[in-house]
Every structure is written in C-alpha cells, then in structure tokens.
PDB file of all heavy atoms in Angstrom:
ATOM      1  N   LYS A 569      81.340 106.233  77.879  1.00  0.00           N
ATOM      2  CA  LYS A 569      80.598 106.456  79.115  1.00  0.00           C
ATOM      3  C   LYS A 569      81.550 106.473  80.288  1.00  0.00           C
ATOM      4  O   LYS A 569      82.595 105.826  80.262  1.00  0.00           O
ATOM      5  CB  LYS A 569      79.621 105.299  79.346  1.00  0.00           C
ATOM      6  CG  LYS A 569      78.197 105.594  79.052  1.00  0.00           C
ATOM      7  CD  LYS A 569      77.375 104.375  79.470  1.00  0.00           C
ATOM      8  CE  LYS A 569      75.915 104.676  79.355  1.00  0.00           C
ATOM      9  NZ  LYS A 569      75.106 103.494  79.605  1.00  0.00           N
ATOM     10  N   VAL A 570      81.130 107.162  81.355  1.00  0.00           N
ATOM     11  CA  VAL A 570      81.930 107.218  82.578  1.00  0.00           C
ATOM     12  C   VAL A 570      81.002 107.006  83.767  1.00  0.00           C
ATOM     13  O   VAL A 570      79.935 107.605  83.837  1.00  0.00           O
ATOM     14  CB  VAL A 570      82.623 108.592  82.733  1.00  0.00           C
ATOM     15  CG1 VAL A 570      83.365 108.672  84.062  1.00  0.00           C
ATOM     16  CG2 VAL A 570      83.557 108.867  81.583  1.00  0.00           C
ATOM     17  N   TYR A 571      81.427 106.158  84.681  1.00  0.00           N
ATOM     18  CA  TYR A 571      80.761 106.022  85.969  1.00  0.00           C
ATOM     19  C   TYR A 571      81.746 106.464  87.048  1.00  0.00           C
ATOM     20  O   TYR A 571      82.940 106.181  86.956  1.00  0.00           O
ATOM     21  CB  TYR A 571      80.354 104.572  86.258  1.00  0.00           C
ATOM     22  CG  TYR A 571      79.220 104.063  85.418  1.00  0.00           C
ATOM     23  CD1 TYR A 571      79.428 103.051  84.487  1.00  0.00           C
ATOM     24  CD2 TYR A 571      77.934 104.571  85.561  1.00  0.00           C
ATOM     25  CE1 TYR A 571      78.389 102.557  83.714  1.00  0.00           C
ATOM     26  CE2 TYR A 571      76.887 104.091  84.788  1.00  0.00           C
ATOM     27  CZ  TYR A 571      77.120 103.080  83.872  1.00  0.00           C
ATOM     28  OH  TYR A 571      76.087 102.609  83.119  1.00  0.00           O
ATOM     29  N   LEU A 572      81.235 107.128  88.074  1.00  0.00           N
ATOM     30  CA  LEU A 572      82.042 107.538  89.222  1.00  0.00           C
ATOM     31  C   LEU A 572      81.539 106.793  90.440  1.00  0.00           C
ATOM     32  O   LEU A 572      80.342 106.825  90.742  1.00  0.00           O
ATOM     33  CB  LEU A 572      81.921 109.046  89.446  1.00  0.00           C
ATOM     34  CG  LEU A 572      82.519 109.596  90.752  1.00  0.00           C
ATOM     35  CD1 LEU A 572      84.022 109.379  90.784  1.00  0.00           C
ATOM     36  CD2 LEU A 572      82.177 111.066  90.911  1.00  0.00           C
ATOM     37  N   CYS A 573      82.430 106.118  91.137  1.00  0.00           N
ATOM     38  CA  CYS A 573      82.077 105.433  92.375  1.00  0.00           C
ATOM     39  C   CYS A 573      82.751 106.145  93.545  1.00  0.00           C
ATOM     40  O   CYS A 573      83.970 106.259  93.584  1.00  0.00           O
ATOM     41  CB  CYS A 573      82.508 103.976  92.339  1.00  0.00           C
ATOM     42  SG  CYS A 573      82.027 103.089  93.847  1.00  0.00           S
ATOM     43  N   THR A 574      81.937 106.611  94.460  1.00  0.00           N
ATOM     44  CA  THR A 574      82.466 107.295  95.643  1.00  0.00           C
ATOM     45  C   THR A 574      82.331 106.433  96.890  1.00  0.00           C
ATOM     46  O   THR A 574      82.688 106.872  97.975  1.00  0.00           O
ATOM     47  CB  THR A 574      81.739 108.638  95.867  1.00  0.00           C
ATOM     48  OG1 THR A 574      80.337 108.389  96.034  1.00  0.00           O
ATOM     49  CG2 THR A 574      81.962 109.573  94.691  1.00  0.00           C
ATOM     50  N   GLU A 575      81.803 105.216  96.744  1.00  0.00           N
ATOM     51  CA  GLU A 575      81.678 104.314  97.884  1.00  0.00           C
ATOM     52  C   GLU A 575      83.069 103.854  98.293  1.00  0.00           C
ATOM     53  O   GLU A 575      83.913 103.590  97.460  1.00  0.00           O
ATOM     54  CB  GLU A 575      80.843 103.079  97.524  1.00  0.00           C
ATOM     55  CG  GLU A 575      79.405 103.369  97.208  1.00  0.00           C
ATOM     56  CD  GLU A 575      78.638 103.906  98.393  1.00  0.00           C
ATOM     57  OE1 GLU A 575      78.719 103.330  99.485  1.00  0.00           O
ATOM     58  OE2 GLU A 575      77.948 104.923  98.210  1.00  0.00           O
ATOM     59  N   GLY A 576      83.278 103.722  99.577  1.00  0.00           N
ATOM     60  CA  GLY A 576      84.556 103.205 100.035  1.00  0.00           C
ATOM     61  C   GLY A 576      84.952 103.803 101.362  1.00  0.00           C
ATOM     62  O   GLY A 576      84.211 104.571 101.970  1.00  0.00           O
ATOM     63  N   THR A 577      86.110 103.439 101.790  1.00  0.00           N
ATOM     64  CA  THR A 577      86.621 103.805 103.094  1.00  0.00           C
ATOM     65  C   THR A 577      88.134 103.650 103.088  1.00  0.00           C
ATOM     66  O   THR A 577      88.690 102.964 102.227  1.00  0.00           O
ATOM     67  CB  THR A 577      85.976 102.903 104.175  1.00  0.00           C
ATOM     68  OG1 THR A 577      86.676 103.045 105.393  1.00  0.00           O
ATOM     69  CG2 THR A 577      86.006 101.443 103.785  1.00  0.00           C
ATOM     70  N   THR A 578      88.785 104.251 104.062  1.00  0.00           N
ATOM     71  CA  THR A 578      90.237 104.104 104.156  1.00  0.00           C
ATOM     72  C   THR A 578      90.644 102.668 104.463  1.00  0.00           C
ATOM     73  O   THR A 578      91.818 102.318 104.316  1.00  0.00           O
ATOM     74  CB  THR A 578      90.821 105.042 105.226  1.00  0.00           C
ATOM     75  OG1 THR A 578      90.205 104.747 106.486  1.00  0.00           O
ATOM     76  CG2 THR A 578      90.590 106.494 104.870  1.00  0.00           C
ATOM     77  N   ALA A 579      89.705 101.834 104.848  1.00  0.00           N
ATOM     78  CA  ALA A 579      90.010 100.415 105.071  1.00  0.00           C
ATOM     79  C   ALA A 579      90.530  99.759 103.793  1.00  0.00           C
ATOM     80  O   ALA A 579      91.227  98.747 103.855  1.00  0.00           O
ATOM     81  CB  ALA A 579      88.767  99.674 105.577  1.00  0.00           C
ATOM     82  N   LEU A 580      90.219 100.338 102.639  1.00  0.00           N
ATOM     83  CA  LEU A 580      90.666  99.772 101.372  1.00  0.00           C
ATOM     84  C   LEU A 580      92.056 100.236 100.963  1.00  0.00           C
ATOM     85  O   LEU A 580      92.584  99.787  99.949  1.00  0.00           O
ATOM     86  CB  LEU A 580      89.656 100.106 100.268  1.00  0.00           C
ATOM     87  CG  LEU A 580      88.286  99.449 100.434  1.00  0.00           C
ATOM     88  CD1 LEU A 580      87.325  99.963  99.367  1.00  0.00           C
ATOM     89  CD2 LEU A 580      88.408  97.934 100.391  1.00  0.00           C
ATOM     90  N   ALA A 581      92.657 101.110 101.739  1.00  0.00           N
ATOM     91  CA  ALA A 581      94.003 101.603 101.427  1.00  0.00           C
ATOM     92  C   ALA A 581      95.044 100.645 101.995  1.00  0.00           C
ATOM     93  O   ALA A 581      95.978 101.036 102.690  1.00  0.00           O
ATOM     94  CB  ALA A 581      94.187 103.008 101.989  1.00  0.00           C
ATOM     95  N   LYS A 582      94.857  99.376 101.687  1.00  0.00           N
ATOM     96  CA  LYS A 582      95.727  98.320 102.208  1.00  0.00           C
ATOM     97  C   LYS A 582      95.960  97.261 101.139  1.00  0.00           C
ATOM     98  O   LYS A 582      95.181  97.128 100.196  1.00  0.00           O
ATOM     99  CB  LYS A 582      95.066  97.665 103.418  1.00  0.00           C
ATOM    100  CG  LYS A 582      94.835  98.613 104.564  1.00  0.00           C
ATOM    101  CD  LYS A 582      94.305  97.883 105.775  1.00  0.00           C
ATOM    102  CE  LYS A 582      94.131  98.871 106.890  1.00  0.00           C
ATOM    103  NZ  LYS A 582      92.742  99.191 107.124  1.00  0.00           N
ATOM    104  N   GLY A 583      97.000  96.488 101.340  1.00  0.00           N
ATOM    105  CA  GLY A 583      97.300  95.391 100.436  1.00  0.00           C
ATOM    106  C   GLY A 583      96.140  94.423 100.330  1.00  0.00           C
ATOM    107  O   GLY A 583      95.476  94.118 101.316  1.00  0.00           O
ATOM    108  N   GLY A 584      95.900  93.958  99.131  1.00  0.00           N
ATOM    109  CA  GLY A 584      94.838  92.992  98.888  1.00  0.00           C
ATOM    110  C   GLY A 584      93.561  93.618  98.349  1.00  0.00           C
ATOM    111  O   GLY A 584      92.730  92.918  97.767  1.00  0.00           O
ATOM    112  N   SER A 585      93.405  94.917  98.514  1.00  0.00           N
ATOM    113  CA  SER A 585      92.169  95.565  98.053  1.00  0.00           C
ATOM    114  C   SER A 585      92.028  95.509  96.539  1.00  0.00           C
ATOM    115  O   SER A 585      90.945  95.246  96.017  1.00  0.00           O
ATOM    116  CB  SER A 585      92.108  97.016  98.530  1.00  0.00           C
ATOM    117  OG  SER A 585      92.025  97.062  99.933  1.00  0.00           O
ATOM    118  N   GLY A 586      93.109  95.757  95.833  1.00  0.00           N
ATOM    119  CA  GLY A 586      93.064  95.693  94.372  1.00  0.00           C
ATOM    120  C   GLY A 586      92.787  94.284  93.878  1.00  0.00           C
ATOM    121  O   GLY A 586      92.044  94.091  92.907  1.00  0.00           O
ATOM    122  N   ASP A 587      93.350  93.283  94.558  1.00  0.00           N
ATOM    123  CA  ASP A 587      93.090  91.891  94.185  1.00  0.00           C
ATOM    124  C   ASP A 587      91.615  91.558  94.378  1.00  0.00           C
ATOM    125  O   ASP A 587      91.002  90.881  93.539  1.00  0.00           O
ATOM    126  CB  ASP A 587      93.936  90.940  95.029  1.00  0.00           C
ATOM    127  CG  ASP A 587      95.428  91.055  94.753  1.00  0.00           C
ATOM    128  OD1 ASP A 587      95.798  91.625  93.721  1.00  0.00           O
ATOM    129  OD2 ASP A 587      96.211  90.575  95.594  1.00  0.00           O
ATOM    130  N   MET A 588      91.035  92.030  95.493  1.00  0.00           N
ATOM    131  CA  MET A 588      89.604  91.780  95.727  1.00  0.00           C
ATOM    132  C   MET A 588      88.776  92.430  94.627  1.00  0.00           C
ATOM    133  O   MET A 588      87.846  91.820  94.091  1.00  0.00           O
ATOM    134  CB  MET A 588      89.170  92.331  97.086  1.00  0.00           C
ATOM    135  CG  MET A 588      89.706  91.561  98.268  1.00  0.00           C
ATOM    136  SD  MET A 588      89.015  92.123  99.845  1.00  0.00           S
ATOM    137  CE  MET A 588      89.681  93.783  99.976  1.00  0.00           C
ATOM    138  N   LEU A 589      89.102  93.673  94.292  1.00  0.00           N
ATOM    139  CA  LEU A 589      88.351  94.385  93.261  1.00  0.00           C
ATOM    140  C   LEU A 589      88.447  93.657  91.924  1.00  0.00           C
ATOM    141  O   LEU A 589      87.431  93.453  91.247  1.00  0.00           O
ATOM    142  CB  LEU A 589      88.860  95.820  93.123  1.00  0.00           C
ATOM    143  CG  LEU A 589      88.172  96.674  92.057  1.00  0.00           C
ATOM    144  CD1 LEU A 589      86.674  96.781  92.316  1.00  0.00           C
ATOM    145  CD2 LEU A 589      88.812  98.056  92.004  1.00  0.00           C
ATOM    146  N   ALA A 590      89.635  93.262  91.538  1.00  0.00           N
ATOM    147  CA  ALA A 590      89.814  92.554  90.265  1.00  0.00           C
ATOM    148  C   ALA A 590      89.009  91.253  90.256  1.00  0.00           C
ATOM    149  O   ALA A 590      88.400  90.900  89.237  1.00  0.00           O
ATOM    150  CB  ALA A 590      91.294  92.272  90.020  1.00  0.00           C
ATOM    151  N   GLY A 591      88.989  90.553  91.375  1.00  0.00           N
ATOM    152  CA  GLY A 591      88.221  89.318  91.462  1.00  0.00           C
ATOM    153  C   GLY A 591      86.725  89.544  91.361  1.00  0.00           C
ATOM    154  O   GLY A 591      86.009  88.803  90.680  1.00  0.00           O
ATOM    155  N   ILE A 592      86.235  90.597  92.008  1.00  0.00           N
ATOM    156  CA  ILE A 592      84.804  90.916  91.953  1.00  0.00           C
ATOM    157  C   ILE A 592      84.418  91.332  90.538  1.00  0.00           C
ATOM    158  O   ILE A 592      83.391  90.878  90.005  1.00  0.00           O
ATOM    159  CB  ILE A 592      84.450  91.998  92.989  1.00  0.00           C
ATOM    160  CG1 ILE A 592      84.598  91.436  94.413  1.00  0.00           C
ATOM    161  CG2 ILE A 592      83.029  92.512  92.770  1.00  0.00           C
ATOM    162  CD1 ILE A 592      84.545  92.494  95.506  1.00  0.00           C
ATOM    163  N   VAL A 593      85.217  92.186  89.916  1.00  0.00           N
ATOM    164  CA  VAL A 593      84.939  92.601  88.538  1.00  0.00           C
ATOM    165  C   VAL A 593      84.922  91.388  87.613  1.00  0.00           C
ATOM    166  O   VAL A 593      84.007  91.219  86.794  1.00  0.00           O
ATOM    167  CB  VAL A 593      85.970  93.655  88.055  1.00  0.00           C
ATOM    168  CG1 VAL A 593      85.846  93.901  86.555  1.00  0.00           C
ATOM    169  CG2 VAL A 593      85.802  94.954  88.829  1.00  0.00           C
ATOM    170  N   SER A 594      85.913  90.514  87.753  1.00  0.00           N
ATOM    171  CA  SER A 594      85.973  89.302  86.923  1.00  0.00           C
ATOM    172  C   SER A 594      84.753  88.424  87.138  1.00  0.00           C
ATOM    173  O   SER A 594      84.214  87.841  86.186  1.00  0.00           O
ATOM    174  CB  SER A 594      87.243  88.504  87.237  1.00  0.00           C
ATOM    175  OG  SER A 594      88.383  89.265  86.942  1.00  0.00           O
ATOM    176  N   SER A 595      84.299  88.337  88.376  1.00  0.00           N
ATOM    177  CA  SER A 595      83.106  87.544  88.681  1.00  0.00           C
ATOM    178  C   SER A 595      81.884  88.102  87.963  1.00  0.00           C
ATOM    179  O   SER A 595      81.098  87.354  87.376  1.00  0.00           O
ATOM    180  CB  SER A 595      82.868  87.537  90.190  1.00  0.00           C
ATOM    181  OG  SER A 595      81.602  86.982  90.495  1.00  0.00           O
ATOM    182  N   TYR A 596      81.733  89.431  87.988  1.00  0.00           N
ATOM    183  CA  TYR A 596      80.588  90.033  87.298  1.00  0.00           C
ATOM    184  C   TYR A 596      80.673  89.819  85.785  1.00  0.00           C
ATOM    185  O   TYR A 596      79.666  89.564  85.129  1.00  0.00           O
ATOM    186  CB  TYR A 596      80.470  91.524  87.629  1.00  0.00           C
ATOM    187  CG  TYR A 596      79.919  91.793  89.016  1.00  0.00           C
ATOM    188  CD1 TYR A 596      80.492  92.764  89.827  1.00  0.00           C
ATOM    189  CD2 TYR A 596      78.831  91.088  89.516  1.00  0.00           C
ATOM    190  CE1 TYR A 596      79.995  93.024  91.100  1.00  0.00           C
ATOM    191  CE2 TYR A 596      78.327  91.336  90.773  1.00  0.00           C
ATOM    192  CZ  TYR A 596      78.911  92.307  91.569  1.00  0.00           C
ATOM    193  OH  TYR A 596      78.409  92.563  92.822  1.00  0.00           O
ATOM    194  N   VAL A 597      81.872  89.903  85.226  1.00  0.00           N
ATOM    195  CA  VAL A 597      82.040  89.630  83.795  1.00  0.00           C
ATOM    196  C   VAL A 597      81.656  88.188  83.500  1.00  0.00           C
ATOM    197  O   VAL A 597      80.913  87.904  82.554  1.00  0.00           O
ATOM    198  CB  VAL A 597      83.488  89.915  83.329  1.00  0.00           C
ATOM    199  CG1 VAL A 597      83.723  89.396  81.910  1.00  0.00           C
ATOM    200  CG2 VAL A 597      83.792  91.407  83.409  1.00  0.00           C
ATOM    201  N   ALA A 598      82.143  87.255  84.314  1.00  0.00           N
ATOM    202  CA  ALA A 598      81.837  85.837  84.108  1.00  0.00           C
ATOM    203  C   ALA A 598      80.343  85.544  84.233  1.00  0.00           C
ATOM    204  O   ALA A 598      79.840  84.601  83.623  1.00  0.00           O
ATOM    205  CB  ALA A 598      82.628  84.990  85.107  1.00  0.00           C
ATOM    206  N   GLN A 599      79.638  86.385  84.996  1.00  0.00           N
ATOM    207  CA  GLN A 599      78.189  86.203  85.144  1.00  0.00           C
ATOM    208  C   GLN A 599      77.394  86.877  84.028  1.00  0.00           C
ATOM    209  O   GLN A 599      76.172  86.815  84.014  1.00  0.00           O
ATOM    210  CB  GLN A 599      77.732  86.761  86.496  1.00  0.00           C
ATOM    211  CG  GLN A 599      78.280  85.979  87.677  1.00  0.00           C
ATOM    212  CD  GLN A 599      77.911  86.621  88.989  1.00  0.00           C
ATOM    213  OE1 GLN A 599      76.740  86.710  89.335  1.00  0.00           O
ATOM    214  NE2 GLN A 599      78.913  87.086  89.722  1.00  0.00           N
ATOM    215  N   GLY A 600      78.090  87.540  83.098  1.00  0.00           N
ATOM    216  CA  GLY A 600      77.417  88.096  81.937  1.00  0.00           C
ATOM    217  C   GLY A 600      77.316  89.610  81.871  1.00  0.00           C
ATOM    218  O   GLY A 600      76.755  90.146  80.920  1.00  0.00           O
ATOM    219  N   CYS A 601      77.853  90.333  82.851  1.00  0.00           N
ATOM    220  CA  CYS A 601      77.836  91.804  82.782  1.00  0.00           C
ATOM    221  C   CYS A 601      78.772  92.281  81.681  1.00  0.00           C
ATOM    222  O   CYS A 601      79.826  91.680  81.466  1.00  0.00           O
ATOM    223  CB  CYS A 601      78.325  92.416  84.100  1.00  0.00           C
ATOM    224  SG  CYS A 601      77.131  92.418  85.429  1.00  0.00           S
ATOM    225  N   ASN A 602      78.409  93.377  81.039  1.00  0.00           N
ATOM    226  CA  ASN A 602      79.350  93.962  80.084  1.00  0.00           C
ATOM    227  C   ASN A 602      80.504  94.593  80.872  1.00  0.00           C
ATOM    228  O   ASN A 602      80.416  94.784  82.085  1.00  0.00           O
ATOM    229  CB  ASN A 602      78.665  94.966  79.150  1.00  0.00           C
ATOM    230  CG  ASN A 602      78.202  96.217  79.862  1.00  0.00           C
ATOM    231  OD1 ASN A 602      78.980  96.893  80.539  1.00  0.00           O
ATOM    232  ND2 ASN A 602      76.933  96.550  79.710  1.00  0.00           N
ATOM    233  N   ALA A 603      81.564  94.917  80.186  1.00  0.00           N
ATOM    234  CA  ALA A 603      82.799  95.357  80.850  1.00  0.00           C
ATOM    235  C   ALA A 603      82.601  96.604  81.705  1.00  0.00           C
ATOM    236  O   ALA A 603      83.038  96.647  82.859  1.00  0.00           O
ATOM    237  CB  ALA A 603      83.887  95.589  79.817  1.00  0.00           C
ATOM    238  N   LEU A 604      81.957  97.628  81.170  1.00  0.00           N
ATOM    239  CA  LEU A 604      81.795  98.870  81.924  1.00  0.00           C
ATOM    240  C   LEU A 604      80.918  98.665  83.156  1.00  0.00           C
ATOM    241  O   LEU A 604      81.252  99.125  84.245  1.00  0.00           O
ATOM    242  CB  LEU A 604      81.212  99.972  81.035  1.00  0.00           C
ATOM    243  CG  LEU A 604      81.055 101.324  81.710  1.00  0.00           C
ATOM    244  CD1 LEU A 604      82.415 101.897  82.119  1.00  0.00           C
ATOM    245  CD2 LEU A 604      80.325 102.296  80.794  1.00  0.00           C
ATOM    246  N   ASP A 605      79.814  97.955  82.996  1.00  0.00           N
ATOM    247  CA  ASP A 605      78.941  97.697  84.140  1.00  0.00           C
ATOM    248  C   ASP A 605      79.641  96.845  85.186  1.00  0.00           C
ATOM    249  O   ASP A 605      79.502  97.078  86.387  1.00  0.00           O
ATOM    250  CB  ASP A 605      77.645  97.028  83.697  1.00  0.00           C
ATOM    251  CG  ASP A 605      76.725  97.960  82.914  1.00  0.00           C
ATOM    252  OD1 ASP A 605      76.948  99.185  82.940  1.00  0.00           O
ATOM    253  OD2 ASP A 605      75.782  97.450  82.275  1.00  0.00           O
ATOM    254  N   ALA A 606      80.395  95.846  84.752  1.00  0.00           N
ATOM    255  CA  ALA A 606      81.129  94.994  85.691  1.00  0.00           C
ATOM    256  C   ALA A 606      82.149  95.804  86.482  1.00  0.00           C
ATOM    257  O   ALA A 606      82.291  95.624  87.694  1.00  0.00           O
ATOM    258  CB  ALA A 606      81.819  93.849  84.948  1.00  0.00           C
ATOM    259  N   ALA A 607      82.849  96.705  85.792  1.00  0.00           N
ATOM    260  CA  ALA A 607      83.850  97.540  86.465  1.00  0.00           C
ATOM    261  C   ALA A 607      83.188  98.457  87.491  1.00  0.00           C
ATOM    262  O   ALA A 607      83.627  98.540  88.643  1.00  0.00           O
ATOM    263  CB  ALA A 607      84.633  98.354  85.438  1.00  0.00           C
ATOM    264  N   ALA A 608      82.130  99.143  87.082  1.00  0.00           N
ATOM    265  CA  ALA A 608      81.446 100.068  87.995  1.00  0.00           C
ATOM    266  C   ALA A 608      80.797  99.322  89.153  1.00  0.00           C
ATOM    267  O   ALA A 608      80.917  99.724  90.317  1.00  0.00           O
ATOM    268  CB  ALA A 608      80.404 100.876  87.225  1.00  0.00           C
ATOM    269  N   LEU A 609      80.126  98.228  88.848  1.00  0.00           N
ATOM    270  CA  LEU A 609      79.461  97.449  89.897  1.00  0.00           C
ATOM    271  C   LEU A 609      80.478  96.817  90.838  1.00  0.00           C
ATOM    272  O   LEU A 609      80.264  96.749  92.048  1.00  0.00           O
ATOM    273  CB  LEU A 609      78.568  96.376  89.265  1.00  0.00           C
ATOM    274  CG  LEU A 609      77.711  95.551  90.202  1.00  0.00           C
ATOM    275  CD1 LEU A 609      76.795  96.433  91.057  1.00  0.00           C
ATOM    276  CD2 LEU A 609      76.882  94.547  89.401  1.00  0.00           C
ATOM    277  N   GLY A 610      81.615  96.387  90.301  1.00  0.00           N
ATOM    278  CA  GLY A 610      82.668  95.830  91.147  1.00  0.00           C
ATOM    279  C   GLY A 610      83.194  96.852  92.128  1.00  0.00           C
ATOM    280  O   GLY A 610      83.387  96.562  93.309  1.00  0.00           O
ATOM    281  N   SER A 611      83.416  98.074  91.651  1.00  0.00           N
ATOM    282  CA  SER A 611      83.895  99.143  92.531  1.00  0.00           C
ATOM    283  C   SER A 611      82.860  99.469  93.604  1.00  0.00           C
ATOM    284  O   SER A 611      83.195  99.608  94.783  1.00  0.00           O
ATOM    285  CB  SER A 611      84.212 100.391  91.698  1.00  0.00           C
ATOM    286  OG  SER A 611      84.696 101.418  92.521  1.00  0.00           O
TER     287      SER A 611
END
C-alpha cells in the first residue's frame, strides 16, 4: 500500500523537522497503530 501526504509547509525545511516526525510516528506506533498507518498519520 502507498499513502501520499501533501500536508506541510516550507516551515518544515529546517533542522529538527525529521526528529519531530520520527517522534510522532513512534508515538503512534506505541499507541497501537500499525506501521503504515503510523507513518502516514505522523506525516
């Protein structure tokens, strides 16, 4: 399966954005989301 996320802004083209995304994705996984849903929902 593939999900496309077009939400965002140039504000994310800065240091720390990837760390925030990884943390949000990890949080969704820890709350019970499957990997693909956690990744898409995190983005």
Side-chain angles (χ1 to χ4, degrees):
K569 256 185 173 174
V570 176
Y571 289 113
L572 170 64
C573 182
T574 59
E575 295 295 312
T577 167
T578 58
L580 294 174
K582 298 186 179 106
S585 295
D587 293 344
M588 289 187 294
L589 179 59
I592 292 168
V593 170
S594 298
S595 170
Y596 285 136
V597 170
Q599 294 175 64
C601 282
N602 68 54
L604 182 64
D605 290 346
L609 185 57
S611 181

